[in-house]
Every structure is written in C-alpha cells, then in structure tokens.
Amino acid sequence: MADEGSSSLPLGGMIIEPGNSRRYRTGEWRSQRPEVDKEKCTNCLTCWIYCPDNSVLVENEKMMGFKYSHCKGCGICANQCPAKAITMREEGVE
Amino acid sequence: MSKPIAVNGDTAIAMAWKQINPDVVAAYPITPQTIIVEAYSDYVADGLVDTEYICAESEHSALSICVGSSAAGARVATATASAGLAFMWEMLYVSASMRTPIVMAVANRTLSGPINIHCDHSDAMGARDSGWLQIFGENVQEAYDNTLMAFRIAENMKVRLPIMTCLDGFIITHALERFEPLEDEKAKAFVGPYQPVRPLLDVKSPTTYGPIAMPEYYYEIKYQLVTAMANAMDVARQVMAEYGELTGRRYDLVEGYRTEDAEYLMVAMGSTAGTVRFVVDQLRAEGKKVGAVKVRLFRPFPTEDLVALLRGKKAVAVLDRAMSPGTGAPLYMDVVEAASQIGSPPRISNYIYGLGGRDIMPEQLSSVFGEIIEGRGERVNYLGVRK
C-alpha cells in the first residue's frame, strides 16, 4: 500500500517525474507467469517482438527469460511462440 | 466611468469573456446558451479577440477540448445548458479531478423529458457532486459580475477547479436588462493574466495529466477536491470583497435580506431570489417578520454562513427549482444539513417550484410564507402542481 497523503501528491495525480513507471511493478497484477523451456527455444525473438510490456529479457540476441517485475502475464508470448517453448503457469502454484 | 447599457444575460457573459480574451473557447450551441457562443464567435471573426475558437461536434467533445487546452496551459471558457451539460457528464468529473480551471456558463434549462427548453436548475443540480464550483446569478448584472469573479476563484492556486457560472435560462439569458459593465482595462486588471500549472506544452518539465490511479491512490486524489473546495470558500469571499471595492457591488457567498429580526426565512437561488425580496417587502409592510436568503455560491456550500442566518429562526422555506423524485431537493438537503448544527433548529420545509420554466408569482411565495408562519405544509411541497 502506498503511504503518501493527499496533500503530498501532485495536483490531480499528475505525473511530474518522467519515466517513473519503471518503479511501478505492474508484474504484481499477474495471475499466470510465462516460463520458457530453453531446450525448445530457437531464440527467434518472436516473444520479444510481441511482448507489450517489454518484459522479455534478451542478451547477445539470445532470449534469456522474463522480467517478472513488469510482466503482467498476458500470455501473448506463449501464444505466439512458433516453437511452443513458453508455458503459462498459475502463480502461487508449485 | 462605465456606462449602463441594456443587453440580455447571454450577451453580458460574452462581453465579459471578450474583456478577458481567453486563449481557447470550445463549444457546441444549445438553447438558451447559444447567444453566448454566437456573440463570441462574432468577436473572434471581427478580430476583437485572439481566442482560438473551436466549434466542436458535441458537448462531450467541447469539454474534452477545454480539458486538453487547459492542461496545455490555456485560459479556457465554454458554455452549455441542459442536455448539453448532461452530455458532458464524463468530462465534468475528469476536468474537476484533473484540476483544469475551466469557466463554463450554464444557462439553466430543465432536462428532458418531457423535452422542454425552459428554465429550472435540474441541469446544474445534477452536476453538484462533480467537483465543479457553482455560482448562481440573479440578473444580467450578476451574470456578468459572477463571470469576472469566476475566473479569479477557479484559477486561484489554492483552488484550481473548474467553475459553472449559472444563470436562469430565458429569464436571465434572453431578457434585456440594464447593466453596467466594467471598463475593459478595469476588467482585465481585475482578472489578471493567466498562470498555468505545469502546462503540457512546457517540454522542459514533462508532465502526464490524468493518469490512472488504482485503489492505492484514487481516494487521496479525490480528497484533494475536498481541500480545494474548502480553500475556494475563503478565496471566493476575498474575490467578492475585492470586487465590491472595485465596483461598489458587494456580494457574498450567501446574502441575507431583512433577516436580522426575522422569524421566518425563505431561501432561494437565481432569479427567484429577487421575487422573494419583493414579497418580503410586501409582508414586512403588513408587519410580518420575514426575511430572504439568497445562496450565490452553491458549491462549495457555505454551510457556516447559512448556520449564522438560520440560528434562532422559527421556520424556513427552501425553494428548489429542481426535484429529486423520492426525496427532498438538493438545496433543501444542504440547508437541512447546515441547520443540523443548530441546537434547536427552525422547522424547515422544501418547496419545489418553477419546473420546466413555469412562472413563479409573488402571490405564491406570499402563501408559502403564510404556510410556514402557521406551521402548515408538508416536509416536501410541490408548489402549484395540479395533482
């Protein structure tokens, strides 16, 4: 829960600091998380192209997993993956 | 010296805007407001103002344009009435919460149905919880004066809320009356230059207006309106005092007339307030201890001022030019809430009147006084309706 009082918030809730959505961990909204099976993954980066939240981690043109702080669990990556290497798993379930 | 002239209320408002020369006017015409934006578009076409005038395709768009313009750093005015105000509904709340100090004339007209173009306050009353300030005028002079004061109240840094300057449809909007405008320079000096807060067009201080607020923040941002409304009460009082010094026309949030030794009061807003004073004078001549109360500022509601006027009175009639089917009308509810702070409050009854433009006559108001003096009448009364 946030702790700023009404009087300390900017007028009308306007955002006066550019880029601060980085600190808004929208990944907390997720109910299902994507998991990648790197045995199947071909590093085609289709998931990276489609991810609306810029939450596919890429290093040296290789798919390296997900940035769970901002992945909302929409499942688009799993749906688009040509190699069927991404599975959506229920959060909170082992 | 300013010279008295004869114009209708709509034209007087257009004249006030002309003196202020807002950066943007975006509007859609609707009776009985149309004369305002028509007259103003003439000023634009004639080069008398340099306002960006935008004919929107609807009221929803008109107010949306006003919100965007205000966020961009512009001083903004618009006008509407009735169904037009209803069509702005979504943006009313957005503009208040985004703290865009838009000045909007509302030519009070009833809401359909049945469809009807004439005066009552149901349009503005429906918007009373939107977070807009609301100020009501009694005649052409007040419609003009309220407009100049409205810019100062809305744009004050402690307020930053949009404001409706309400005037009774046809009764004030279309009736020719004598009034005295201020000289242009005096009006301009009184209102002063516009000071934006973090305008969108200031690319060096990037700002996002109107972002989403989840349950962790929504309530706190809404609560800012409560603070701003409380500030607006003091600001309005100061602005009215300053305007009184300038013009000699002394206004207040709530104005009592022959109330000091009165035992019975009648509360009203808009043009009917004048009729009430006329009736008070008649009954005073007969020795009846009656007085009138005019509510000028309806939002924020000047509860403490009302309490001071109601204290010690025997009975009060609250006239509402609007109804809330199933309960009492809005002004009555607020007056009763104010009176609840008094140890032994007066008996307060509600009189709904003048819906859909029906005239209210002095004899009717005399008989209302008669009823409350004799302790007759229901809690909520529908004055003059054929049951």
Side-chain angles (χ1 to χ4, degrees), chain A residues 37-49:
Chain A
D37 179 352
K38 285 304 288 182
E39 303 271 301
K40 292 185 189 168
C41 173
T42 63
N43 294 308
C44 70
L45 301 187
T46 301
C47 54
W48 175 80
I49 292 167

Side-chain angles (χ1 to χ4, degrees), chain B residues 23-38:
Chain B
D23 301 301
V24 174
V25 167
Y28 187 87
I30 182 169
T31 301
Q33 163 281 116
T34 306
I35 304 169
I36 302 175
V37 294
E38 236 172 37

Side-chain angles (χ1 to χ4, degrees), chain B residues 25 111 120 148 154 161 190 205 221 250 273 284 299 332 341 358-359 363 378 382 384-385:
Chain B
V25 167
L111 287 163
D120 69 36
L148 294 186
L161 287 175
F190 176 76
S205 317
I221 289 163
R250 296 185 188 279
R284 281 279 178 174
R299 283 293 177 273
Y332 168 72
Q341 299 182 30
R358 183 167 300 179
D359 282 333
E363 311 81 71
E378 306 289 323
Y382 295 83
V385 75

Side-chain angles (χ1 to χ4, degrees), chain B residues 89 108 155 188 208 267 272 374 378 384:
Chain B
W89 209 252
N108 295 118
E155 294 172 1
K188 281 183 206 302
T208 300
V267 184
T272 308
E374 290 164 24
E378 306 289 323

Side-chain angles (χ1 to χ4, degrees), chain A residues 4 8-10 13-27 29 67 69-70, chain B residues 198 206-213 217 221:
Chain A
E4 300 101 313
S8 65
L9 291 170
M14 63 172 73
I15 295 171
I16 56 177
E17 181 194 353
N20 70 0
S21 55
R22 201 172 294 150
R23 298 207 307 270
Y24 189 6
R25 298 172 71 90
T26 47
W29 301 0
K67 191 168 76 177
S69 59
H70 287 83
Chain B
R198 295 195 70 97
T207 302
T208 300
Y209 267 80
I212 189 172
Y217 284 104
I221 289 163

Side-chain angles (χ1 to χ4, degrees), chain B residues 131-135 153-154 159 161-164 228-229 232 297 299-300:
Chain B
W132 280 63
L133 307 159
Q134 293 181 318
I135 188 168
I153 300 166
V159 181
L161 287 175
I163 185 165
M164 295 181 198
M229 281 281 176
L297 191 70
R299 283 293 177 273

Side-chain angles (χ1 to χ4, degrees), chain B residues 178-224:
Chain B
R178 174 193 184 281
F179 101 107
E180 288 180 36
L182 264 66
E183 291 97 335
D184 287 354
E185 290 317 310
K186 264 193 183 176
K188 281 183 206 302
F190 176 76
V191 174
Y194 183 67
Q195 291 180 302
V197 174
R198 295 195 70 97
L200 283 175
L201 294 179
D202 177 3
V203 292
K204 286 182 183 151
S205 317
T207 302
T208 300
Y209 267 80
I212 189 172
M214 297 302 265
E216 298 91 332
Y217 284 104
Y218 179 90
Y219 196 3
E220 280 67 29
I221 289 163
K222 280 310 233 198
Y223 185 76
Q224 290 181 341

